[in-house]
Amino acid sequence: MTAVVAAVIASLWAVAGFASFTLRAEWSDTLSAAAASASPAVAQVLMLLAPLMVVTVAAIAWYATRRALRPVKRVRIRAAQLMVADPSGRVEVPETGGEIAALAEVVNGTLARAQRAGDAQRRLVADAAHELRSPLAVLQAGLDVALAYPDRTDWRRTVVTAAEQVGRLTALTDDLLLMAQLDAGRGTPVPPSPVDVPATLIRLAGEAEVVGRDVRVSVLDPVPLLVLIDRTAFERIVRNLLDNAVRHAAAVVEVRAATGTRRLRVSVADDGPGIPGADQDRIFERFTRLGDARDRHRGGTGLGLAIARELAHRLGGTLVVAGSEASGATFTLDLPADALDESPGT
């Protein structure tokens, strides 16, 4: 902003200097002609008035420029103070309108975005610290007890518990790194590639079933379907949805895939406790867990659904959840995708 103001002032001074030079030249010619036909006294008076008029014009231009840029200076000083002391404050928008008012509104918009970004960063750091403390506390307590009573310690159980907590820390660290990359704009999708949707879903369902809690994961109606899509992002979204469904299902998780007009729709449904309607959008927020049925002791990092929705948005699609509190939850992923065969869709 300082550079812009300096450039404006320099331009105005240049215009004033050019005008002064032009006026001086014109007045010089005029006065020379007048001096030739007027008396020496009149010519002397005119020659004395010419510099005075030039100085007067320059002074008026300087004053007008300074007065016009005074609101810009106030906006600059106020914005600098707010960025340091109070990011929630805003600069005063002049009631006169015009470019100065537009500048103040742009500054206020920038301050608002900076405040939101700062608040989000502070929340993420606080939530991440809180999530990291839980497995670290369990790990520290188990090791302290084992070291204090080595003869009465079940070392196999201690090692298994420690491995589980290290796994939670690793998963949380990976999710935090991916979320940071997405926030920084570096998690951009890779070029699309052909993906066999049924085969991919069956493979991911098998992986989720292996690490699940005696939950059967089924891919319903796996008709042949080949689409052009970002494979890495697609698999990450589906894997996060399956991990979430397996953790909360009572016995069954069902996966379906369908195609529309250049669209791919994948739904993941579980028969767990479900999600109340008032919380069906809040669960996509970072580190959100609902009630006893969806707590950190079931293995989630609290970032899986947030990452899945962010990746869906990056691919130009949507991720929503439906279902009542008593009938389980159904997550529906809708992505733009070009079908590479003529398989019928629903």
Side-chain angles (χ1 to χ4, degrees), residues 128 190 253:
V190 299
V253 173

Side-chain angles (χ1 to χ4, degrees), residues 62-332:
W62 176 82
Y63 177 77
T65 301
R66 186 177 180 86
R67 182 178 179 85
L69 295 179
R70 193 175 300 164
V72 178
K73 182 179 180 180
R74 287 199 297 266
V75 171
R76 175 180 61 82
I77 295 175
R78 179 61 174 162
Q81 293 173 345
L82 292 175
M83 289 297 292
V84 174
D86 183 17
S88 63
R90 299 293 180 265
V91 301
E92 182 181 356
V93 179
E95 298 179 356
T96 55
E99 294 298 326
I100 303 300
L103 174 62
E105 291 175 354
V106 170
V107 171
N108 283 338
T110 303
L111 289 172
R113 289 191 295 272
Q115 181 187 2
R116 289 194 295 269
D119 292 343
Q121 183 181 26
R122 284 188 290 272
R123 285 196 302 269
L124 179 61
V125 171
D127 291 339
H130 179 73
E131 295 295 326
L132 289 169
R133 289 178 63 184
S134 178
L136 286 174
V138 174
L139 187 60
Q140 183 70 51
L143 294 176
D144 287 344
V145 171
L147 292 174
Y149 305 98
D151 298 335
R152 290 180 287 175
T153 296
D154 185 345
W155 287 101
R156 176 179 175 78
R157 182 179 181 83
T158 299
V159 172
V160 169
T161 301
E164 291 175 351
Q165 300 309 315
V166 171
R168 289 180 58 190
L169 289 171
T170 301
L172 180 57
T173 303
D174 292 341
D175 285 347
L176 285 172
L177 178 60
L178 178 57
M179 186 63 71
Q181 292 174 342
L182 293 174
D183 289 343
R186 294 194 296 269
T188 53
V190 299
S193 58
V195 174
D196 186 339
V197 175
T200 300
L201 294 180
I202 291 173
R203 173 171 57 82
L204 295 177
E207 294 175 0
E209 194 172 52
V210 168
V211 300
R213 304 173 300 101
D214 298 327
V215 174
R216 180 170 55 86
V217 183
S218 302
V219 179
L220 305 182
D221 303 325
V223 297
L225 178 60
L226 189 68
V227 299
L228 194 64
I229 200 170
D230 180 348
R231 177 188 299 273
T232 302
F234 174 69
E235 291 189 5
R236 182 62 184 264
I237 295 171
V238 175
R239 185 178 288 110
N240 285 7
L241 295 179
L242 287 172
D243 290 345
N244 178 78
V246 168
R247 282 197 304 272
H248 307 307
V252 177
V253 173
E254 296 179 343
V255 184
R256 290 181 172 86
T259 57
T261 305
R262 304 187 67 178
R263 308 291 296 185
L264 171 64
R265 185 177 301 106
V266 176
S267 64
V268 178
D270 65 71
D271 60 348
I275 302 172
D279 295 323
Q280 289 182 0
D281 193 62
R282 191 169 67 88
I283 62 170
F284 293 103
E285 297 176 1
R286 303 172 185 185
F287 299 110
T288 297
R289 296 181 178 87
L290 305 179
D292 297 334
R294 297 178 182 267
D295 60 17
R296 62 176 54 87
H297 301 294
R298 304 286 290 269
T301 64
L303 289 173
L305 295 179
I307 290 174
R309 171 169 277 191
E310 180 66 24
L311 287 174
H313 289 170
R314 293 295 178 94
L315 295 178
T318 59
L319 176 60
V320 297
V321 62
S324 65
E325 191 172 358
S327 62
T330 301
F331 290 84
T332 301

